[in-house]
Amino acid sequence: MRWRDLPSLSLLRAFDATARAGSFAEAGRVLNVTHAAVTQAVRALEADLGVQLVRRAGRTVALTGAGEALARSLAEGFGAIAAGVEALRQREARRIVRVTTTTFIAETHVMPRLPEFWARHPGVEVALSPSPARIDLARDGFDMAIRALSDGWEEAPDEEIRPLCRSPVIAVCAPSLLARGLHPQDMPWVMGADRHLELAEVAGTGLDPDRLRRVEVGSPHLEMSACRQGLGAATATEIICRADLEAGRLVRLPLSGLPVVTYALVLPKGPRRPAVTAFADWLATIF
């Protein structure tokens, strides 16, 4: 297709609206412009094509033979465009909102509240992909990420970062472990995939990380479960532990010097589906 050989799309739209409505005035109302603007556009199209397309008939217009032929072609063309756009919108509306986040934020904070989102937005499917890894959102097909960011974070050129909350890292253990009367230095500590980071956090409390007895459970999905069962103390953000602390399944150890984490929503820059915008806006209300 040679676009430069076609008349202006605005002229074709004006003629299509006139052919459908049967008058310049009604076409103007459809296009939200004056009837004079429609008249001028149709006359400009006639001049561009070198053929008369409409004839005035009182307050209405009648199509010439050339006008009828062009009107049929435009109806088919614009109809195909409208059908294609609607099909795209329907397909995108049905596409699942894919979210990557940490195991613990997915399990303790987002999933328990998903029924609230679905009550507001029925039909929007959401898939949470728990992973400790930092994922390239655009490359891996994710719509957004919920990430824990350390102080000094910077926004990447192709990402938009929306801070959700600040949450302190705390040390916790099961009441049964605390009842043993052990000093935190002598307790077993559950360590996971981020063991080096956790050891650095513990070192900030004054404990000697080299003397800690470490318990490894092999999977990040099991770390908090192991902590609840009294297998060891652990460090985690307060937002992750909040429900367990309130329910008495965990207790907070009196250790200071632990960092504060910023939880943030990370979105690829660029156009977004309404479902993605709805879920992103909802997430901002639950942190």
Side-chain angles (χ1 to χ4, degrees):
M1 178 182 295
R2 294 168 58 87
W3 284 101
R4 65 183 181 183
D5 293 336
L6 293 177
S8 164
L9 183 60
S10 62
L11 301 186
L12 294 173
R13 287 178 62 237
F15 172 72
D16 178 70
T18 301
R20 292 173 186 270
S23 76
F24 293 130
E26 183 59 30
R29 283 190 285 271
V30 170
L31 299 176
N32 197 30
V33 298
T34 66
H35 77 278
V38 176
T39 303
Q40 184 178 4
V42 172
R43 296 308 180 208
L45 179 61
E46 290 178 324
D48 184 278
L49 297 176
V51 62
Q52 185 178 5
L53 300 173
V54 300
R55 291 190 298 269
R56 282 190 177 275
R59 294 188 175 183
T60 63
V61 296
L63 299 181
T64 64
E68 290 178 353
L70 180 59
R72 285 193 298 270
S73 297
L74 291 180
E76 293 176 3
F78 285 137
I81 292 172
V85 169
E86 182 60 23
L88 176 62
R89 285 175 173 162
Q90 292 295 327
R91 185 170 65 251
E92 290 300 296
R94 291 191 299 268
R95 187 153 62 87
I96 295 173
V97 178
R98 298 188 66 211
V99 184
T100 176
T101 182
T102 67
T103 300
F104 301 131
I105 280 294
E107 179 182 3
T108 65
H109 203 73
V110 179
M111 287 187 66
R113 294 168 174 81
L114 273 178
E116 174 192 327
F117 173 76
W118 282 322
R120 299 183 188 180
H121 303 278
V124 176
E125 294 187 62
V126 178
L128 300 177
S129 180
S131 171
R134 186 181 178 93
I135 291 174
D136 186 311
L137 299 180
R139 182 195 64 200
D140 297 322
F142 284 93
D143 295 296
M144 66 186 73
I146 305 170
R147 290 178 180 154
L149 306 178
S150 302
D151 287 341
W153 55 267
E154 295 182 1
E155 190 171 270
D158 57 345
E159 292 180 341
E160 175 189 348
I161 294 181
R162 301 181 187 178
L164 297 171
C165 72
R166 296 267 290 168
S167 184
V169 175
I170 61 176
V172 295
C173 71
S176 60
L177 180 56
L178 184 67
R180 293 168 58 184
L182 298 173
H183 187 277
Q185 181 69 65
D186 301 318
M187 290 180 175
W189 284 79
V190 178
M191 297 288 177
D194 294 329
R195 182 176 63 187
H196 297 297
L197 175 61
E198 292 166 344
L199 289 174
E201 291 174 349
V202 171
T205 69
L207 300 181
D208 182 354
D210 294 329
R211 292 175 47 224
L212 291 180
R213 181 157 50 96
R214 298 191 289 272
V215 176
E216 298 186 20
V217 294
S219 170
H221 297 81
L222 301 176
E223 291 167 16
M224 292 308 296
S225 176
C227 187
R228 294 185 197 103
Q229 294 175 41
L231 297 183
T235 57
T237 54
E238 185 275 336
I239 194 172
I240 287 173
C241 302
R242 187 177 300 164
D244 286 318
L245 292 169
E246 293 173 351
R249 292 183 292 268
L250 293 176
V251 292
R252 185 169 180 172
L253 294 174
L255 294 178
S256 59
L258 290 166
V260 177
V261 168
T262 297
Y263 281 101
L265 180 64
V266 184
L267 300 126
K269 289 184 177 178
R272 298 185 186 112
R273 294 177 288 138
V276 173
T277 298
F279 193 69
D281 292 345
W282 174 77
L283 283 174
T285 69
I286 67 170
F287 278 83

